[in-house]
Amino acid sequence: MSDHQLRTRTPAAPAPRTTGGSRTAAAFRAAAPALAVYAAVRALGLLAFWAAASAAGKDPLGPLSGRWDSVWYQRIAENGYRYTVTLPDGSVHSDLAFFPLLPALERAVSAVTPLTLGGAGLLVAWTAGLVAAWGIFAVGAELRGRRTGVVLAALWGVYPTAFVQSMAYTETLFTALAAWSLLAVLKGRWIAAGVLCVLAGLTRPSAAALIAALAITAAVTLVREYRDERRAGPVLRRNARMIAGVALAPLGWLAYVVFVAVREASPVAYFDVQAQWGNNIDGGRALAAFIAGLPWPAALGLCAALGLLGWLVVLCVRQRQPLPVLLYTVAIVVISLIGAGYFGSRPRLMMPAFPLLLPPAIALLRLRPPGRAAAVLAALACASAAYGAWILLGAGPP
């Protein structure tokens, strides 16, 4: 090519820049099948419950927005932290056991819409459920491809206690924040992961599992890099954003614990409040005592369920799930099992451990013909809907 040609050649048009909005739109389009399947299975659950409640002559909205923990959150949204109740056994239940992000969102939504606090709580929970399904899909797609992400989101929507995802509870909000925080870690966006972890720490005490997952992952990364280089300075500078994200992560959880400590004039006040509710950590003694007190067929069935849970954890390890994902999952399971609280709540407490469902999701995708996977998911959705309707019309809290 001559000098003249070099001087007069028209330069190539620059590649179009991808904006944040276009990236979000593309991500939403990719997640649309997962969101559609998740919305469908949750709609089926609501329809089954609505039909069962109507047949029983009961208000279908009551258990979703106006019973059990939902009432405590709405009371905080309306009046702040000031309510306690003394039970016949002398224990004192304080609303300080409940973290502030959900009631704050309920109050904000109710202030700018015609919705009551109960309606606002449902709107927050249902919206967060879709955001959580999107995040779960994104994690599954990052690890095993888009089809796996779709099935993973669907399985989370048909989890045995998935009916809680339709209630004004914190499970969907916390799972959404945890899923997107884990995705941010997988993509190396540590500041975003830390900020999301701050919000998770204002939502549920089990954010300790997410905080630990981020901190241990960062520590392992630093140790490995230092072992290779033997120079701390460059390692720390190269990982400055990771260190900053980890430093941010516990601030939400710590802020609320400090708030309770200052309010009650005791450094361990938050833990005392939880102990009054029976939610102190006892290493699993309450769980063992509960199993021992059951009739042997029920005890055997529960032990089998716990064995299945342990097997799922083993499968997650065998799949070589990334360290932050695996640590988060194991920590959620452990926290759910070693507390002294009401046994019936433990399956609900484990629901945010969505990576446990990755082995079943992969197994479903291996079924042939492919229609079998859809049939299994449909059967699970019907079973989950029926179980949810039965529990919600019962007397005890989930």
Side-chain angles (χ1 to χ4, degrees):
M1 186 178 290
S2 67
D3 290 344
H4 174 73
Q5 288 174 312
L6 284 171
R7 286 192 300 269
T8 60
R9 183 182 181 186
T10 302
R17 298 183 63 182
T18 303
T19 64
S22 62
R23 285 195 300 268
T24 301
F28 179 79
R29 287 193 296 271
L35 297 179
V37 173
Y38 173 78
V41 298
R42 293 311 320 134
L44 177 63
L46 285 171
L47 181 62
F49 170 62
W50 195 283
S54 298
K58 295 186 177 181
D59 174 19
L61 286 179
L64 298 180
S65 65
R67 291 177 71 185
W68 304 309
D69 290 3
S70 299
V71 177
W72 288 85
Y73 286 118
Q74 290 169 39
R75 193 182 289 119
I76 295 167
E78 185 173 10
N79 302 314
Y81 287 99
R82 62 178 65 182
Y83 182 78
T84 61
V85 59
T86 302
L87 302 186
D89 63 1
S91 61
V92 178
H93 284 190
S94 167
D95 57 8
L96 290 170
F98 297 89
F99 278 53
L101 185 56
L102 177 59
L105 291 174
E106 288 177 338
R107 184 168 185 169
V109 170
S110 181
V112 298
T113 67
L115 293 173
T116 64
L117 288 172
L122 288 178
L123 179 60
V124 171
W126 294 358
T127 303
L130 289 170
V131 176
W134 187 354
I136 290 168
F137 160 80
V139 171
E142 180 74 14
L143 299 182
R144 293 281 181 158
R146 288 176 56 186
R147 292 178 66 231
T148 301
V150 172
V151 176
L152 185 62
L155 285 176
W156 190 68
V158 301
Y159 183 85
T161 57
F163 61 88
V164 178
Q165 297 170 21
S166 299
M167 301 173 65
Y169 270 43
T170 58
E171 270 67 24
T172 55
L173 181 59
F174 175 74
T175 304
L177 293 167
W180 286 101
S181 180
L182 290 173
L183 182 68
V185 171
L186 294 177
K187 291 183 173 293
R189 298 168 183 165
W190 281 91
I191 300 296
V195 171
L196 290 166
C197 195
V198 170
L199 296 175
L202 292 170
T203 306
R204 290 183 63 84
S206 51
L210 184 61
I211 295 166
L214 268 60
I216 295 173
T217 299
V220 170
T221 300
L222 291 174
V223 168
R224 284 177 177 171
E225 293 193 14
Y226 176 75
R227 183 184 58 194
D228 293 340
E229 296 189 19
R230 298 292 179 182
R231 292 186 300 166
V235 170
L236 294 177
R237 285 194 295 272
R238 186 166 58 247
N239 293 287
R241 295 181 69 83
M242 180 181 71
I243 295 170
V246 171
L248 282 172
L251 295 184
W253 188 90
L254 287 174
Y256 185 67
V257 171
V258 170
F259 164 77
V260 177
V262 172
R263 184 184 179 96
E264 300 298 298
S266 168
V268 295
Y270 172 74
F271 304 99
D272 291 339
V273 168
Q274 290 288 0
Q276 286 283 348
W277 275 83
N279 292 331
N280 54 299
I281 301 298
D282 70 354
R285 289 194 302 272
L287 176 60
F290 179 81
I291 295 173
L294 292 174
W296 73 264
L300 190 61
L302 181 52
C303 288
L306 291 173
L308 175 61
L309 175 63
W311 180 239
L312 284 175
V313 173
V314 170
L315 289 178
C316 290
V317 175
R318 286 185 175 181
Q319 283 183 343
R320 298 180 180 272
Q321 291 184 9
L323 184 60
V325 175
L326 187 61
L327 288 171
Y328 166 76
T329 302
V330 172
I332 288 287
V333 170
V334 170
I335 289 172
S336 302
L337 294 179
I338 64 174
Y342 171 57
F343 177 80
S345 295
R346 295 178 193 238
R348 169 175 66 85
L349 298 177
M350 278 188 276
M351 189 164 57
F354 65 89
L356 281 175
L357 302 173
L358 191 57
I362 293 172
L364 278 177
L365 286 171
R366 290 174 179 163
L367 292 178
R368 293 293 180 270
R372 288 186 179 178
V376 171
L377 284 173
L380 290 174
C382 292
S384 176
Y387 178 70
W390 177 65
I391 292 292
L392 287 172
L393 291 175

